[in-house]
Amino acid sequence: MCITLSTFCRMCNSRLIRSFLRHKSSTTKTSLWLKQAYIGGEWLDATSGATFEVRNPANMKVIGCVPNMTVVEAQKALDVATKAFYAPEWRQITARERSQLLKNWNTLILQRGTDLADIMTAECGKPLTESLAEVAYGQSFVEWFAEEARRIDGQLIASSMRNQEVLVLREPLGVAALITPWNFPMALVLRKAAAALAAGCTVVIKPAEDTPLTCLALAKLSEIACIPAGVFNVVTTNKAAPIGDLFCRSPQVCGISFTGSTEVGKHLFRESAGLLKRVSLELGGNAPFIVFESADIVEAVKGAMVAKFRNAGQTCVTANRFYVQSSVYDNFLKQLQAQVEALKIGPGHEQGVQIGPLVNRAQLKRLKSFMKDALQRHAKVVCGGKHLQDIGELFYAPTIITGVDRTARIYREEVFGPVITLTKFDTEDEVVTRANSSLRGLSGYFFSRDLQQVFRVARRLEVGIVGVNVGLASQAEAPFGGIKESGVGREGGHFGIEEFTEIKYICLGGLKYD
Ligand code: ADP
């Protein structure tokens, strides 16, 4: 029997679905608590046998041990990812088939959402409700990029030469190295990896040392989803620097996507310059949160709580510097203080908890030193301002401070903790100048019901993401990223795929149109 090419393609897709359904039904009970890294479709220990412990920051108990890998295993991962990139099972499949693989993965992520949330809360401490919200947020990127995978279109451009056509293709970059932080152990892996896979790249991921378990769980689900061996690799380590340098210097790596501190981001940028590598960086912020007198104050307080206290203030888009117009300052502060003091603090797995622990000792030490510095510069504590050792070693009280000097570190740098610094202002010009005085330009928020002011201020704020009358602006459809020292490149939306594609121009001559 002779089948047409299109029938063949449809059959390939249904074969993918059939094989996924077979795998899926037999593995829905598979444990997602993994102890090995995932390289080339195999679950592996470190060659040396070394491991490192992962602790629950709520009680400091060890919840897992994973391989402590080195450049030896990272090189192996690059080798298998390179091989997989050129293998017909990945290189030759259609966009629709790639999309199907991502959809398979998405189905499993949704199906195992509560298990993933449980792992996330255990390793990074965030309240379970926030982990469940992160499952939905992370999954939305897989869903979005599964859809986008089918729309990585080229162009046919009108040529200025007779008998020639100008074709433009978008091709996958190649092997992409992804380095992710601990504050969104699932969403940031998925936001990068789903875009890379949709583009046709293969990936080697180095998750944060505090939170490797969520990433390994996602690797397990990628395996069940039938994503071919070598396409999605995870290397675990607590010694990131040599592996980061390997990623920068190896010609096998075509692109690096990093989320983390500005210092490490700049280092990776410099190290990658030798090979003029594509680098996408999502770095720290120092978001202003402005409340104008025209704002709905009840909504502004709600927005402030969301913008500040998600993940105990440990997010790069967290509002750091709060500015409130003088005429509404007292009203805003009164309402805000009441809500801050009502927050329930405790281990993330406990029912109703809204604020979990900080992720590790280094973060706590940093926050305490920031507070000490601010108080030495005459800041005043309105509420909180305490290390809550009776709850656990890493708990810090949700805090409001006022009278913060512009030279204080807590004002100039990213706080990464549950502390609000509140400042009064009089005019729009004054507050916009203060808001823009930071070199970190990731996100900014403001509340206003004056339409003229909304457009004026949204345009004047020097940030990549502006939240107007909202405290949470990120979504899969939109571009996420900063300006100035907050990074280069964008994730999410249709922009996210561009980071993982190259443009190829084909000049097709010798045509007989004349
Ligand atoms: P944070 O201070 O929030 O932990 P980092 O920038 O130190 O931010 O860490 C973010 C991610 O970068 C983590 O996965 C970490 O292991 C990794 N990392 C840290 N230093 C380096 C480095 N020199 N090269 C590559 N990755 C690094």
Side-chain angles (χ1 to χ4, degrees):
M1 186 185 63
C2 171
I3 58 169
T4 64
L5 187 60
S6 64
T7 312
F8 176 72
C9 289
R10 271 202 304 279
M11 281 169 55
C12 287
N13 209 55
S14 64
R15 211 166 26 230
L16 274 178
I17 296 171
R18 275 204 309 277
S19 125
F20 164 59
L21 290 175
R22 231 182 6 254
H23 266 75
K24 178 174 157 268
S25 53
S26 62
T27 46
T28 44
K29 295 276 176 282
T30 305
S31 170
L32 296 182
W33 289 85
L34 285 314
K35 296 188 167 105
Q36 290 174 303
Y38 186 60
I39 300 175
E42 292 181 88
W43 291 92
L44 300 176
D45 295 322
T47 320
S48 67
T51 58
F52 65 96
E53 292 172 342
V54 183
R55 287 173 188 272
N56 181 340
N59 52 24
M60 298 308 271
K61 288 202 176 123
V62 176
I63 51 167
C65 262
V66 296
N68 203 357
M69 293 183 151
T70 65
V71 287
V72 174
E73 294 86 358
Q75 182 56 55
K76 179 177 162 66
L78 293 184
D79 291 340
V80 298
T82 306
K83 195 163 166 231
F85 179 70
Y86 293 106
E89 307 86 77
W90 187 244
R91 184 82 167 166
Q92 304 298 337
I93 65 173
T94 63
R96 184 171 179 227
E97 288 163 332
R98 260 200 318 277
S99 166
Q100 184 59 53
L101 290 170
L102 285 168
K103 284 182 193 160
N104 295 351
W105 198 22
N106 188 38
T107 303
L108 293 166
I109 289 168
L110 281 171
Q111 202 171 63
R112 303 297 301 269
T114 49
D115 298 322
L116 289 166
D118 183 38
I119 295 172
M120 254 187 286
T121 291
E123 67 176 351
C124 85
K126 64 176 65 178
L128 203 51
T129 45
E130 286 192 27
S131 294
L132 286 165
E134 183 171 343
V135 171
Y137 176 61
Q139 161 281 317
S140 72
F141 286 97
V142 186
E143 181 185 300
W144 169 262
F145 285 118
E147 291 159 357
E148 285 294 289
R150 300 185 66 182
R151 282 175 263 287
I152 306 179
D153 302 324
Q155 286 181 19
L156 181 63
I157 296 175
S159 171
S160 62
M161 302 295 194
R162 286 187 176 206
N163 299 318
Q164 287 190 4
E165 295 284 3
V166 171
L167 309 176
V168 177
L169 310 182
R170 285 165 71 201
E171 296 191 322
L173 213 51
V175 176
L178 315 179
I179 302 176
T180 55
W182 46 262
N183 58 350
F184 288 92
M186 175 170 166
L188 298 187
V189 168
L190 294 177
R191 191 159 77 189
K192 294 177 191 301
L197 266 48
C201 295
T202 56
V203 299
V204 176
I205 306 174
K206 198 229 64 75
E209 47 276 33
D210 289 304
T211 58
L213 299 175
T214 307
C215 187
L216 292 174
L218 293 172
K220 183 49 135 183
L221 297 180
S222 80
E223 185 186 20
I224 303 171
C226 303
I227 292 177
V231 169
F232 186 93
N233 306 281
V234 181
V235 176
T236 52
T237 186
N238 68 4
K239 293 194 175 53
I243 293 182
D245 288 349
L246 172 72
F247 289 164
C248 296
R249 292 174 195 158
S250 167
Q252 284 172 293
V253 176
C254 301
I256 296 184
S257 177
F258 169 82
T259 299
S261 62
T262 301
E263 294 65 33
V264 174
K266 283 183 179 177
H267 170 77
L268 297 173
F269 205 40
R270 274 193 300 269
E271 289 297 306
S272 300
L275 290 175
L276 298 180
K277 202 163 276 197
R278 181 84 64 86
V279 181
S280 162
L281 304 171
E282 301 296 344
L283 309 177
N286 186 0
F289 185 104
I290 306 169
V291 182
F292 289 104
E293 59 194 0
S294 68
D296 177 331
I297 299 299
V298 172
E299 286 301 313
V301 171
K302 257 195 236 163
M305 297 300 289
V306 173
K308 181 73 237 183
F309 292 110
R310 229 163 26 111
N311 204 8
Q314 303 172 106
T315 87
C316 50
V317 290
T318 293
N320 257 10
R321 296 167 292 148
F322 286 70
Y323 303 104
V324 184
Q325 203 150 14
S326 305
S327 53
V328 292
Y329 181 89
D330 290 342
N331 183 12
F332 179 83
L333 175 55
K334 192 168 143 228
Q335 293 190 41
L336 183 71
Q337 184 179 349
Q339 294 205 19
V340 171
E341 286 176 340
L343 285 168
K344 182 169 178 200
I345 308 152
H349 280 105
E350 244 176 64
Q351 183 78 17
V353 159
Q354 293 159 295
I355 301 281
L358 298 180
V359 74
N360 58 32
R361 289 178 177 139
Q363 289 299 323
L364 177 71
K365 190 168 164 213
R366 185 170 179 272
L367 179 60
K368 283 171 86 174
S369 78
F370 274 28
M371 280 295 289
K372 191 170 167 202
D373 170 66
L375 297 179
Q376 275 167 357
R377 291 166 202 269
H378 313 297
K380 299 250 169 327
V381 175
V382 175
C383 62
K386 283 194 295 269
H387 180 188
L388 301 174
Q389 269 161 304
D390 47 331
I391 303 181
E393 184 184 341
L394 299 180
F395 289 86
Y396 198 90
T399 298
I400 304 176
I401 52 176
T402 56
V404 180
D405 194 87
R406 292 179 204 208
T407 58
R409 289 190 72 194
I410 209 160
Y411 182 83
R412 289 185 289 116
E413 297 176 40
E414 198 169 33
V415 180
F416 250 61
V419 179
I420 287 178
T421 68
L422 202 60
T423 304
K424 222 181 255 187
F425 72 91
D426 290 313
T427 68
E428 185 183 299
D429 269 349
E430 172 200 345
V431 77
V432 170
T433 306
R434 286 198 75 171
N436 288 342
S437 65
S438 171
L439 277 178
R440 307 286 164 92
L442 182 57
S443 59
Y445 308 85
F446 68 92
F447 278 69
S448 167
R449 284 181 293 190
D450 171 346
L451 190 61
Q452 299 294 337
Q453 183 171 56
V454 163
F455 277 92
R456 216 168 39 232
V457 175
R459 285 184 181 274
R460 287 180 71 191
L461 283 181
E462 294 170 1
V463 292
I465 303 166
V466 181
V468 185
N469 298 326
V470 288
L472 177 60
S474 180
Q475 48 190 293
E477 296 75 7
F480 186 103
I483 61 170
K484 302 194 217 175
E485 287 195 357
S486 282
V488 289
R490 291 293 179 271
E491 295 185 345
H494 63 84
F495 309 91
I497 287 205
E498 283 163 23
E499 304 293 328
F500 296 101
T501 57
E502 271 305 357
I503 289 177
K504 181 181 275 174
Y505 155 47
I506 301 174
C507 180
L508 184 58
L511 300 168
K512 302 282 182 219
Y513 291 161
D514 283 342

